[in-house]
Amino acid sequence: MNKKRYSRQPSRPPRRSRRRSLLLPAGVGGICLCVAAGISLAVALSMPAPGDSSSLQQEISSDTGTGSLSNQGATNTEVSVGSVTSPAMSEGGADSSAALSQASSGAFQSDPEFFENTAFLGNSMIDDLYTYGLADGADFYFKTGLTVRTVFEETMNNRSVPVIDELKNGQYRDVFIMFGENELGWAYADVFIEEYGKVIDKVREYQPQANIYVHSIFPVSASASQRNSFGVNNERIEEYNVLLRQMCQDKGVSYLDVASVMKNQQGVLPEDAAYDGVHPNKEYCQKWVQYIEQQISKGES
């Protein structure tokens, strides 16, 4: 069955250029001299302007009470007011230099067929995974700031049905779900788990034959945890992950402890692993994909 993909196409920021002014030789000394001057002019114009940059501008939005994590890494991404922006596609940023180097050297090799007939459902973390292009073959259904409640109400960009209803578009072998970052500030953790259970029930209704995998919530950096914006801190994340693991056992679905490969020896996300301390850069998203492949392959062996 042919599947329609409604994932947003990432965009790269326009490259700025600067005009250069060059002084041509004043005198005309014959044909050879003119040709030489023409060559010099062409070479000079082809060189990039010093300081030219194609990196996106990231910033931490002011707190106006909305309390959701958002991603500005691609076009048409809704940005919640008072949200934390994601560094997806932040080329040239200090946090992504190692990841880009690794990718260009071919150090990370994903199975090109592994994510065929799979779908990812969730928030801006799924947005990042799509934007970095690390799970080719999968369908991505996501929205910035999405929660286990709003997934039943809000739509993807330029779409007309609730995000969760996008799962009706095909028959999937595996469905990967990720929620939690935007719900860390909720007053009651048990309400989050109850609402998450409803998401699993709906996924199972739409995809009765699919294997369902629930992601752990990723750790944040020490500095992000200390800021505690909208309740985002590592202590709360650990609390939620314990509950998510138990929920998966109760619901008979698989729990993916991706958080375990995101932590350093101090049990937090390294400071250089995310521009904002929350959304992992490309290098750490690669760790994420590798973990999924390894765990599922191990389970099938």
Side-chain angles (χ1 to χ4, degrees), residues 61 68 70-74 76-85 144-145:
S61 303
S68 62
S70 65
N71 182 338
Q72 291 181 330
N76 296 326
T77 300
E78 293 86 356
V79 180
S80 301
V81 178
S83 60
V84 183
T85 60
T144 296

Side-chain angles (χ1 to χ4, degrees), residues 28-36:
V28 180
I31 296 176
C32 293
L33 182 59
C34 291
V35 171

Side-chain angles (χ1 to χ4, degrees), residues 204-271:
R204 186 169 275 150
E205 175 186 336
Y206 290 160
Q207 298 291 328
Q209 303 302 318
N211 302 307
I212 300 175
Y213 297 90
V214 172
H215 284 80
S216 60
I217 303 172
F218 296 165
V220 297
S221 68
S223 58
S225 184
Q226 186 174 12
R227 287 196 302 271
N228 194 34
S229 299
F230 313 116
V232 178
N233 64 77
N234 285 315
E235 182 178 352
R236 185 70 161 171
I237 290 171
E238 290 288 347
E239 176 189 353
Y240 271 37
N241 281 340
V242 170
L243 295 174
L244 283 175
R245 188 187 293 272
Q246 183 60 52
M247 179 198 71
C248 289
Q249 293 180 6
D250 296 341
K251 287 288 186 181
V253 299
S254 300
Y255 177 77
L256 289 172
D257 187 18
V258 188
S260 63
V261 297
M262 297 287 183
K263 300 176 181 178
N264 60 16
Q265 293 182 346
Q266 288 70 46
V268 301
L269 186 71
E271 294 291 340

Side-chain angles (χ1 to χ4, degrees), residues 49-67:
D52 191 18
S53 172
S54 61
S55 63
L56 292 178
Q57 298 297 318
Q58 283 90 23
E59 62 181 2
I60 303 300
S61 303
S62 60
D63 180 1
T64 57
T66 302

Side-chain angles (χ1 to χ4, degrees), residues 25-196:
V28 180
I31 296 176
C32 293
L33 182 59
C34 291
V35 171
I39 294 174
S40 298
L41 176 61
V43 171
L45 288 174
S46 66
M47 296 176 62
D52 191 18
S53 172
S54 61
S55 63
L56 292 178
Q57 298 297 318
Q58 283 90 23
E59 62 181 2
I60 303 300
S61 303
S62 60
D63 180 1
T64 57
T66 302
S68 62
L69 302 177
S70 65
N71 182 338
Q72 291 181 330
T75 56
N76 296 326
T77 300
E78 293 86 356
V79 180
S80 301
V81 178
S83 60
V84 183
T85 60
S86 163
M89 303 306 291
S90 57
E91 299 172 303
D95 67 311
S96 61
S97 59
L100 293 174
S101 175
Q102 182 186 34
S104 63
S105 67
F108 174 74
Q109 295 294 331
S110 176
D111 182 343
E113 298 181 356
F114 187 88
F115 290 104
E116 291 290 338
N117 301 317
T118 67
F120 285 85
L121 172 71
N123 52 33
S124 61
M125 296 295 183
I126 301 301
D127 189 338
D128 289 347
L129 188 63
Y130 166 72
T131 303
Y132 286 131
L134 298 177
D136 288 341
D139 286 344
F140 294 82
Y141 305 120
F142 56 85
K143 188 174 184 179
T144 296
L146 204 65
T147 71
V148 290
R149 281 179 172 167
T150 60
V151 68
F152 292 96
E153 305 164 355
E154 297 189 19
T155 66
M156 294 179 64
N157 294 324
N158 303 318
R159 299 292 297 158
S160 59
V161 300
V163 177
I164 199 166
D165 289 351
E166 298 284 358
L167 286 173
K168 295 179 180 180
N169 291 322
Q171 294 298 317
Y172 299 108
R173 182 189 69 242
D174 302 316
V175 177
F176 299 95
I177 312 173
M178 188 168 194
F179 289 100
E181 288 80 9
N182 298 311
E183 296 92 327
L184 290 171
W186 286 14
Y188 302 104
D190 57 337
V191 173
F192 163 65
I193 295 300
E194 180 181 353
E195 296 297 322
Y196 210 137

